[in-house]
Amino acid sequence: TAWELASSPRNRTCTGLFVSRLEPHYTAKHIEAFIWQQAGEKVRVEKITGRASLHSSFYVPCDRPVRDALKNSNIWPTGCFVKLYFS
């Protein structure tokens, strides 16, 4: 029989940004300083630990105006992955 797939409901809340594919040695403090420099916003960043040591990933909790400013791909390094974070 064929498997049937369904998407999950979109009733989750966007609470910030997921930022990934950055150099593995970067810390939350590096990203906080970068965001302050680029967007003039003070945020508290959390590093997401995982199995991959080839890059680092971060959760950036922020409200909508800050998210809108940080979603601009021109402020992030080329190859960096930035996506809305839902919880």
Coordinates of all heavy atoms in Angstrom, one line a residue:
T1 N 0.8 -1.2 0.0 CA 0.0 0.0 0.0 C 0.9 1.2 0.0 O 2.0 1.2 0.5 CB -0.9 0.0 1.2 OG1 -0.2 0.2 2.4 CG2 -1.8 -1.2 1.3
A2 N 0.3 2.3 -0.5 CA 1.1 3.5 -0.6 C 0.9 4.3 0.7 O -0.1 4.3 1.4 CB 0.6 4.4 -1.7
W3 N 2.0 5.0 1.1 CA 2.0 5.8 2.3 C 1.4 7.1 2.0 O 1.6 7.7 0.9 CB 3.4 6.0 2.8 CG 4.0 4.8 3.5 CD1 4.6 3.7 2.9 CD2 4.0 4.5 4.9 NE1 5.0 2.8 3.8 CE2 4.6 3.3 5.0 CE3 3.5 5.2 6.0 CZ2 4.8 2.7 6.3 CZ3 3.7 4.6 7.2 CH2 4.3 3.4 7.3
E4 N 0.6 7.7 2.9 CA 0.0 9.0 2.7 C 0.7 10.0 3.6 O 0.8 9.7 4.8 CB -1.5 8.9 2.9 CG -2.2 10.1 2.4 CD -3.7 9.9 2.5 OE1 -4.2 8.9 2.0 OE2 -4.4 10.8 3.0
L5 N 1.1 11.1 3.1 CA 1.7 12.1 3.9 C 0.8 13.3 4.2 O 0.0 13.6 3.3 CB 3.0 12.6 3.3 CG 4.1 11.6 3.0 CD1 5.3 12.3 2.3 CD2 4.6 11.1 4.4
A6 N 0.9 13.9 5.3 CA 0.1 15.1 5.6 C 1.0 16.1 6.3 O 1.9 15.7 7.1 CB -1.1 14.8 6.5
S7 N 0.8 17.4 6.1 CA 1.6 18.4 6.7 C 1.0 18.7 8.1 O -0.2 18.4 8.4 CB 1.6 19.7 5.9 OG 0.3 20.2 5.8
S8 N 1.9 19.2 9.0 CA 1.4 19.5 10.4 C 0.6 20.8 10.3 O 0.9 21.7 9.5 CB 2.6 19.6 11.3 OG 3.4 20.6 11.0
P9 N -0.3 21.0 11.3 CA -1.0 22.3 11.3 C -0.1 23.5 11.5 O 0.9 23.4 12.2 CB -2.0 22.1 12.4 CG -1.8 20.8 13.0 CD -0.6 20.1 12.3
R10 N -0.5 24.6 11.0 CA 0.4 25.8 11.1 C -0.1 26.7 12.3 O -0.1 27.9 12.3 CB 0.2 26.7 9.9 CG 0.8 26.1 8.6 CD 2.3 26.1 8.6 NE 2.8 27.5 8.6 CZ 4.0 27.9 8.6 NH1 4.9 27.0 8.5 NH2 4.3 29.1 8.7
N11 N -0.5 26.0 13.4 CA -0.9 26.8 14.6 C 0.3 27.0 15.6 O 0.0 27.4 16.7 CB -2.1 26.1 15.3 CG -1.7 24.7 15.7 OD1 -0.6 24.2 15.5 ND2 -2.7 24.1 16.4
R12 N 1.5 26.8 15.1 CA 2.6 27.0 16.0 C 3.0 28.5 15.9 O 2.6 29.2 15.0 CB 3.8 26.2 15.5 CG 3.5 24.7 15.6 CD 4.7 23.9 14.9 NE 4.7 24.2 13.5 CZ 5.8 24.1 12.8 NH1 6.9 23.7 13.3 NH2 5.8 24.4 11.5
T13 N 3.7 29.0 16.9 CA 4.1 30.4 17.0 C 5.5 30.6 16.6 O 6.4 29.9 17.0 CB 3.9 30.9 18.5 OG1 2.5 30.6 18.8 CG2 4.2 32.3 18.6
C14 N 5.7 31.6 15.8 CA 7.1 32.0 15.4 C 7.7 32.7 16.5 O 7.2 33.8 17.0 CB 7.1 32.8 14.1 SG 8.7 33.3 13.6
T15 N 8.8 32.2 17.1 CA 9.4 32.8 18.3 C 10.8 33.4 18.0 O 11.4 33.9 18.9 CB 9.5 31.8 19.4 OG1 10.3 30.7 18.9 CG2 8.2 31.3 19.8
G16 N 11.3 33.3 16.8 CA 12.6 33.8 16.5 C 13.1 33.3 15.2 O 12.4 32.9 14.3
L17 N 14.4 33.2 15.1 CA 15.1 32.7 13.9 C 16.0 31.5 14.2 O 16.6 31.4 15.3 CB 16.0 33.8 13.3 CG 15.2 35.0 12.7 CD1 16.2 36.1 12.3 CD2 14.3 34.6 11.6
F18 N 16.2 30.6 13.2 CA 17.1 29.6 13.3 C 18.2 30.0 12.3 O 18.0 30.3 11.1 CB 16.5 28.3 12.8 CG 17.5 27.1 12.6 CD1 18.0 26.5 13.7 CD2 17.8 26.7 11.4 CE1 18.9 25.5 13.6 CE2 18.7 25.7 11.2 CZ 19.2 25.0 12.3
V19 N 19.5 30.0 12.8 CA 20.6 30.4 12.0 C 21.6 29.3 12.0 O 22.0 28.8 13.0 CB 21.3 31.7 12.5 CG1 22.5 32.1 11.6 CG2 20.3 32.9 12.6
S20 N 22.1 28.9 10.8 CA 23.0 27.7 10.7 C 24.0 27.9 9.6 O 24.0 28.9 8.9 CB 22.1 26.4 10.5 OG 22.9 25.3 10.6
R21 N 24.9 26.9 9.5 CA 26.0 26.8 8.5 C 27.0 27.9 8.8 O 27.6 28.5 7.8 CB 25.4 26.9 7.1 CG 24.6 25.7 6.8 CD 24.2 25.6 5.3 NE 23.2 24.6 5.1 CZ 22.3 24.6 4.2 NH1 22.2 25.7 3.4 NH2 21.4 23.7 4.1
L22 N 27.2 28.2 10.0 CA 28.3 29.1 10.4 C 29.5 28.3 10.9 O 29.4 27.2 11.2 CB 27.8 30.1 11.5 CG 26.7 31.1 11.1 CD1 26.1 31.8 12.3 CD2 27.3 32.1 10.1
E23 N 30.7 29.0 10.9 CA 31.9 28.3 11.3 C 31.7 27.6 12.7 O 31.0 28.2 13.6 CB 33.0 29.3 11.4 CG 33.5 29.8 10.1 CD 34.2 28.7 9.2 OE1 34.8 27.8 9.8 OE2 34.1 28.8 8.0
P24 N 32.2 26.4 12.9 CA 31.9 25.7 14.2 C 32.5 26.3 15.4 O 32.0 26.1 16.5 CB 32.6 24.3 13.9 CG 33.5 24.5 12.8 CD 33.0 25.7 12.0
H25 N 33.5 27.2 15.3 CA 34.0 27.8 16.5 C 33.2 29.0 17.0 O 33.5 29.5 18.1 CB 35.5 28.2 16.3 CG 35.6 29.3 15.2 ND1 35.7 29.0 13.9 CD2 35.7 30.7 15.4 CE1 35.8 30.2 13.2 NE2 35.8 31.2 14.1
Y26 N 32.2 29.5 16.3 CA 31.4 30.6 16.8 C 30.6 30.2 18.0 O 30.1 29.1 18.1 CB 30.5 31.1 15.7 CG 31.2 31.8 14.5 CD1 30.9 31.7 13.2 CD2 32.2 32.7 14.8 CE1 31.5 32.3 12.2 CE2 32.9 33.4 13.8 CZ 32.5 33.2 12.5 OH 33.1 33.9 11.5
T27 N 30.5 31.2 18.9 CA 29.7 31.1 20.1 C 28.5 32.0 20.0 O 28.4 32.8 19.1 CB 30.5 31.4 21.3 OG1 30.8 32.8 21.3 CG2 31.8 30.6 21.4
A28 N 27.6 31.8 21.0 CA 26.4 32.7 21.1 C 26.8 34.2 21.2 O 26.2 35.0 20.6 CB 25.5 32.3 22.2
K29 N 27.9 34.4 21.9 CA 28.4 35.8 22.1 C 28.8 36.4 20.7 O 28.6 37.6 20.5 CB 29.6 35.9 23.0 CG 29.2 35.5 24.4 CD 28.3 36.5 25.0 CE 27.9 36.2 26.5 NZ 26.8 36.9 27.0
H30 N 29.4 35.6 19.8 CA 29.8 36.1 18.5 C 28.6 36.5 17.7 O 28.6 37.6 17.1 CB 30.5 34.9 17.7 CG 31.9 34.6 18.1 ND1 32.2 33.5 18.7 CD2 33.0 35.4 18.1 CE1 33.5 33.5 19.0 NE2 34.0 34.6 18.6
I31 N 27.5 35.7 17.8 CA 26.3 36.0 17.0 C 25.6 37.2 17.6 O 25.1 38.1 16.9 CB 25.4 34.8 17.0 CG1 26.1 33.6 16.4 CG2 24.2 35.1 16.1 CD1 26.9 33.8 15.1
E32 N 25.6 37.3 19.0 CA 25.0 38.5 19.6 C 25.7 39.8 19.2 O 25.0 40.8 18.9 CB 25.0 38.3 21.1 CG 24.1 37.3 21.6 CD 24.3 36.9 23.1 OE1 25.2 37.5 23.7 OE2 23.6 36.0 23.6
A33 N 27.0 39.7 19.2 CA 27.8 40.9 18.7 C 27.5 41.2 17.3 O 27.4 42.4 16.9 CB 29.3 40.7 19.0
F34 N 27.4 40.2 16.4 CA 27.2 40.4 15.0 C 25.8 41.1 14.8 O 25.7 42.0 14.0 CB 27.2 39.1 14.3 CG 26.9 39.2 12.8 CD1 27.9 39.6 11.9 CD2 25.7 38.9 12.3 CE1 27.6 39.7 10.6 CE2 25.4 39.0 11.0 CZ 26.4 39.4 10.1
I35 N 24.8 40.6 15.5 CA 23.4 41.1 15.4 C 23.4 42.6 15.9 O 22.8 43.4 15.3 CB 22.4 40.2 16.1 CG1 22.3 38.9 15.4 CG2 21.1 41.0 16.3 CD1 21.5 37.9 16.1
W36 N 24.1 42.9 17.0 CA 24.2 44.2 17.5 C 24.8 45.2 16.4 O 24.4 46.2 16.2 CB 25.0 44.3 18.8 CG 25.2 45.7 19.3 CD1 26.3 46.4 19.2 CD2 24.2 46.5 19.9 NE1 26.1 47.6 19.7 CE2 24.8 47.8 20.1 CE3 22.9 46.4 20.2 CZ2 24.2 48.8 20.7 CZ3 22.2 47.4 20.8 CH2 22.9 48.7 21.0
Q37 N 25.9 44.7 15.8 CA 26.6 45.5 14.8 C 25.8 45.7 13.5 O 25.7 46.8 13.0 CB 27.9 44.8 14.4 CG 28.7 45.5 13.4 CD 29.9 44.7 12.9 OE1 29.9 43.4 13.0 NE2 31.0 45.3 12.5
Q38 N 25.1 44.6 13.1 CA 24.3 44.7 11.8 C 22.9 45.4 12.0 O 22.5 46.1 11.1 CB 24.2 43.3 11.2 CG 25.4 42.7 10.8 CD 26.1 43.4 9.7 OE1 25.5 43.9 8.8 NE2 27.4 43.5 9.8
A39 N 22.3 45.1 13.1 CA 20.9 45.5 13.2 C 20.6 46.5 14.4 O 19.5 47.0 14.6 CB 20.0 44.3 13.3
G40 N 21.6 46.7 15.2 CA 21.5 47.5 16.4 C 20.5 47.0 17.4 O 19.9 47.7 18.2
E41 N 20.4 45.6 17.5 CA 19.4 45.0 18.4 C 20.2 44.1 19.4 O 21.1 43.4 19.0 CB 18.4 44.1 17.6 CG 17.6 44.9 16.7 CD 16.5 45.8 17.4 OE1 16.3 45.6 18.6 OE2 16.0 46.7 16.7
K42 N 19.8 44.2 20.6 CA 20.4 43.4 21.6 C 19.5 42.1 21.8 O 18.3 42.3 22.2 CB 20.6 44.1 23.0 CG 21.3 43.4 24.0 CD 21.6 44.2 25.2 CE 22.4 43.4 26.2 NZ 22.9 44.2 27.3
V43 N 20.0 41.0 21.6 CA 19.3 39.7 21.7 C 20.2 38.7 22.5 O 21.4 38.9 22.6 CB 18.9 39.1 20.3 CG1 18.0 40.0 19.6 CG2 20.1 38.9 19.5
R44 N 19.5 37.7 23.0 CA 20.2 36.7 23.7 C 20.1 35.4 22.9 O 19.0 34.8 22.7 CB 19.5 36.4 25.1 CG 20.3 35.5 25.9 CD 19.8 35.4 27.4 NE 20.0 34.1 27.9 CZ 19.2 33.1 28.0 NH1 17.9 33.3 27.7 NH2 19.5 31.9 28.5
V45 N 21.2 35.0 22.3 CA 21.3 33.9 21.4 C 21.6 32.6 22.1 O 22.4 32.6 23.1 CB 22.4 34.2 20.3 CG1 22.5 33.0 19.4 CG2 22.0 35.4 19.5
E46 N 21.0 31.5 21.6 CA 21.3 30.2 22.2 C 22.0 29.3 21.1 O 21.4 29.2 20.0 CB 20.0 29.5 22.7 CG 19.3 30.2 23.8 CD 18.0 29.6 24.1 OE1 17.8 28.4 23.9 OE2 17.1 30.4 24.5
K47 N 23.1 28.7 21.4 CA 23.8 27.8 20.5 C 23.1 26.4 20.6 O 22.8 26.0 21.7 CB 25.2 27.6 20.8 CG 26.0 26.8 19.8 CD 27.5 26.9 19.9 CE 28.1 26.2 18.7 NZ 29.6 26.5 18.6
I48 N 22.8 25.9 19.4 CA 22.1 24.6 19.3 C 23.2 23.5 19.1 O 24.0 23.6 18.1 CB 21.1 24.5 18.2 CG1 20.0 25.6 18.4 CG2 20.5 23.1 18.1 CD1 19.1 25.8 17.3
T49 N 23.3 22.6 20.0 CA 24.4 21.6 19.9 C 23.8 20.4 19.2 O 22.6 20.0 19.4 CB 24.9 21.2 21.3 OG1 23.8 20.7 22.1 CG2 25.6 22.3 21.9
G50 N 24.6 19.8 18.3 CA 24.1 18.7 17.5 C 25.3 17.8 17.2 O 26.4 18.0 17.7
R51 N 25.1 16.8 16.4 CA 26.1 15.8 16.1 C 27.1 16.4 15.1 O 28.3 16.0 15.1 CB 25.5 14.6 15.5 CG 24.6 13.8 16.5 CD 24.1 12.6 15.9 NE 23.3 12.9 14.6 CZ 23.0 12.0 13.7 NH1 23.3 10.8 13.9 NH2 22.3 12.4 12.7
A52 N 26.7 17.3 14.2 CA 27.6 17.8 13.2 C 28.6 18.8 13.8 O 28.2 19.7 14.5 CB 26.8 18.4 12.1
S53 N 29.8 18.6 13.5 CA 30.8 19.6 14.0 C 31.4 20.4 12.8 O 32.4 21.1 13.0 CB 32.0 18.8 14.7 OG 32.6 17.9 13.9
L54 N 30.8 20.2 11.7 CA 31.2 20.9 10.5 C 30.7 22.4 10.5 O 31.3 23.2 9.7 CB 30.8 20.2 9.2 CG 31.2 18.8 9.1 CD1 30.6 18.1 7.9 CD2 32.7 18.7 9.0
H55 N 29.7 22.7 11.2 CA 29.2 24.0 11.3 C 28.5 24.2 12.7 O 28.3 23.3 13.4 CB 28.2 24.2 10.2 CG 26.9 23.4 10.3 ND1 26.9 22.1 9.7 CD2 25.7 23.6 10.9 CE1 25.7 21.6 9.9 NE2 25.0 22.5 10.6
S56 N 28.1 25.4 12.9 CA 27.3 25.7 14.2 C 26.0 26.3 13.8 O 25.8 26.9 12.8 CB 28.1 26.6 15.1 OG 28.5 27.8 14.5
S57 N 25.0 26.1 14.7 CA 23.7 26.5 14.6 C 23.2 27.3 15.8 O 23.7 27.0 16.9 CB 22.7 25.4 14.3 OG 23.1 24.7 13.1
F58 N 22.3 28.2 15.6 CA 21.8 29.1 16.7 C 20.3 29.3 16.7 O 19.8 29.4 15.6 CB 22.6 30.4 16.7 CG 24.0 30.3 16.8 CD1 24.8 30.1 15.7 CD2 24.7 30.3 18.1 CE1 26.2 29.9 15.8 CE2 26.0 30.1 18.2 CZ 26.8 30.0 17.1
Y59 N 19.7 29.5 17.9 CA 18.4 30.0 18.0 C 18.5 31.4 18.5 O 19.1 31.7 19.4 CB 17.6 29.1 19.0 CG 16.3 29.7 19.4 CD1 15.3 30.1 18.5 CD2 16.0 29.8 20.8 CE1 14.1 30.6 18.9 CE2 14.8 30.4 21.2 CZ 13.8 30.8 20.2 OH 12.6 31.3 20.7
V60 N 17.8 32.3 17.7 CA 17.8 33.7 18.0 C 16.4 34.1 18.4 O 15.5 34.4 17.5 CB 18.3 34.6 16.8 CG1 18.3 36.0 17.2 CG2 19.7 34.1 16.4
P61 N 16.0 34.1 19.7 CA 14.6 34.5 20.1 C 14.5 36.0 19.9 O 15.3 36.8 20.3 CB 14.5 34.1 21.5 CG 15.9 34.0 22.0 CD 16.8 33.7 20.8
C62 N 13.4 36.4 19.2 CA 13.2 37.8 18.9 C 11.8 38.1 18.5 O 11.1 37.2 18.0 CB 14.2 38.3 17.9 SG 14.2 37.4 16.3
D63 N 11.3 39.3 18.6 CA 10.0 39.7 18.2 C 10.0 40.0 16.7 O 11.0 40.1 16.1 CB 9.4 40.8 19.1 CG 10.2 42.0 19.0 OD1 11.2 42.1 18.2 OD2 10.0 42.9 19.9
R64 N 8.8 40.3 16.2 CA 8.6 40.4 14.8 C 9.5 41.5 14.1 O 10.1 41.3 13.1 CB 7.2 40.6 14.4 CG 6.9 40.7 12.9 CD 5.5 40.9 12.6 NE 5.3 40.4 11.2 CZ 4.3 39.6 10.8 NH1 3.5 39.2 11.7 NH2 4.3 39.2 9.6
P65 N 9.6 42.8 14.7 CA 10.4 43.8 14.1 C 11.9 43.4 13.9 O 12.5 43.6 12.9 CB 10.2 45.0 15.0 CG 8.9 44.8 15.7 CD 8.8 43.3 15.9
V66 N 12.4 42.7 15.0 CA 13.8 42.3 14.9 C 13.9 41.2 13.9 O 14.9 41.1 13.1 CB 14.2 41.8 16.3 CG1 15.6 41.3 16.3 CG2 14.1 43.0 17.3
R67 N 13.0 40.2 13.9 CA 13.0 39.1 12.9 C 13.0 39.7 11.5 O 13.8 39.2 10.6 CB 11.8 38.2 13.1 CG 11.9 37.1 14.0 CD 10.8 36.1 13.9 NE 9.5 36.6 13.7 CZ 8.6 36.8 14.7 NH1 9.0 36.6 16.0 NH2 7.4 37.2 14.5
D68 N 12.1 40.7 11.2 CA 12.1 41.2 9.9 C 13.4 41.9 9.5 O 13.8 41.7 8.4 CB 11.0 42.3 9.8 CG 9.6 41.7 9.9 OD1 9.5 40.4 9.7 OD2 8.6 42.4 10.1
A69 N 14.1 42.5 10.4 CA 15.4 43.1 10.1 C 16.4 42.1 9.9 O 17.3 42.2 9.0 CB 15.8 44.0 11.3
L70 N 16.4 41.0 10.7 CA 17.4 39.9 10.6 C 17.2 38.9 9.4 O 18.1 38.2 9.1 CB 17.5 39.2 11.9 CG 18.0 40.0 13.1 CD1 18.0 39.2 14.4 CD2 19.4 40.6 12.8
K71 N 16.0 38.9 8.9 CA 15.7 38.0 7.8 C 16.4 38.5 6.5 O 16.4 37.7 5.5 CB 14.2 37.9 7.5 CG 13.5 36.9 8.5 CD 12.1 36.6 8.1 CE 11.3 37.7 7.6 NZ 9.9 37.4 7.4
N72 N 16.9 39.7 6.5 CA 17.5 40.2 5.3 C 18.8 39.4 5.0 O 19.8 39.5 5.8 CB 17.9 41.7 5.6 CG 18.6 42.4 4.4 OD1 19.0 41.7 3.4 ND2 18.7 43.7 4.4
S73 N 18.8 38.7 3.9 CA 20.0 37.8 3.6 C 21.2 38.6 3.4 O 22.3 38.0 3.4 CB 19.6 36.9 2.4 OG 19.4 37.7 1.3
N74 N 21.2 39.9 3.1 CA 22.4 40.7 2.8 C 23.2 40.9 4.0 O 24.4 41.3 3.8 CB 22.0 42.0 2.2 CG 21.3 41.9 0.8 OD1 21.7 40.9 0.1 ND2 20.4 42.7 0.5
I75 N 22.7 40.8 5.2 CA 23.5 41.0 6.4 C 24.3 39.8 6.8 O 25.2 39.9 7.6 CB 22.7 41.6 7.6 CG1 21.7 40.6 8.1 CG2 22.0 42.9 7.2 CD1 21.1 41.0 9.5
W76 N 23.9 38.6 6.4 CA 24.5 37.4 6.8 C 25.6 36.9 5.8 O 25.5 37.3 4.6 CB 23.4 36.3 7.0 CG 22.4 36.6 8.0 CD1 21.2 37.1 7.9 CD2 22.6 36.4 9.4 NE1 20.6 37.3 9.1 CE2 21.4 36.8 10.0 CE3 23.6 35.9 10.2 CZ2 21.2 36.8 11.4 CZ3 23.5 35.8 11.6 CH2 22.3 36.3 12.2
P77 N 26.6 36.2 6.3 CA 27.6 35.7 5.4 C 27.0 34.8 4.3 O 26.0 34.1 4.5 CB 28.5 34.9 6.3 CG 28.2 35.3 7.7 CD 26.8 35.7 7.7
T78 N 27.6 34.8 3.1 CA 27.2 34.0 2.0 C 27.2 32.5 2.5 O 28.2 32.1 3.1 CB 28.1 34.2 0.8 OG1 28.0 35.6 0.4 CG2 27.6 33.3 -0.4
G79 N 26.2 31.7 2.2 CA 26.1 30.3 2.5 C 25.5 30.1 3.9 O 25.2 28.9 4.2
C80 N 25.2 31.1 4.6 CA 24.6 31.0 5.9 C 23.1 30.7 5.7 O 22.5 31.1 4.7 CB 24.7 32.3 6.7 SG 23.9 32.3 8.3
F81 N 22.5 29.9 6.6 CA 21.1 29.5 6.5 C 20.3 30.2 7.6 O 20.6 30.0 8.8 CB 21.0 28.0 6.6 CG 19.6 27.4 6.5 CD1 19.0 27.3 5.3 CD2 18.9 27.0 7.6 CE1 17.7 26.8 5.2 CE2 17.7 26.5 7.5 CZ 17.1 26.4 6.3
V82 N 19.3 31.0 7.2 CA 18.5 31.7 8.2 C 17.0 31.4 7.9 O 16.6 31.5 6.7 CB 18.7 33.2 8.1 CG1 17.8 34.0 9.1 CG2 20.2 33.6 8.3
K83 N 16.3 30.9 8.9 CA 14.9 30.5 8.7 C 14.1 30.9 9.9 O 14.6 30.9 11.0 CB 14.9 29.0 8.5 CG 13.5 28.5 8.1 CD 13.6 27.0 7.8 CE 12.1 26.6 7.5 NZ 12.0 25.4 6.8
L84 N 12.8 31.1 9.8 CA 11.9 31.3 10.9 C 11.9 30.1 11.9 O 12.0 29.0 11.4 CB 10.5 31.7 10.5 CG 10.3 32.9 9.7 CD1 8.9 33.0 9.2 CD2 10.7 34.1 10.5
Y85 N 11.9 30.4 13.2 CA 11.9 29.3 14.2 C 10.5 29.3 14.8 O 10.0 30.3 15.3 CB 12.9 29.6 15.2 CG 13.1 28.5 16.2 CD1 14.1 27.6 16.0 CD2 12.3 28.4 17.3 CE1 14.3 26.5 17.0 CE2 12.5 27.4 18.3 CZ 13.5 26.5 18.1 OH 13.7 25.4 19.0
F86 N 9.9 28.1 14.7 CA 8.5 27.9 15.3 C 8.6 27.0 16.5 O 9.4 26.0 16.5 CB 7.6 27.3 14.3 CG 7.3 28.3 13.1 CD1 8.1 28.3 12.0 CD2 6.2 29.1 13.2 CE1 7.8 29.2 11.0 CE2 5.9 30.0 12.2 CZ 6.7 30.0 11.1
S87 N 7.8 27.3 17.5 CA 7.7 26.4 18.7 C 6.3 26.1 19.0 O 5.4 26.7 18.5 CB 8.4 27.0 19.9 OG 7.8 28.2 20.2

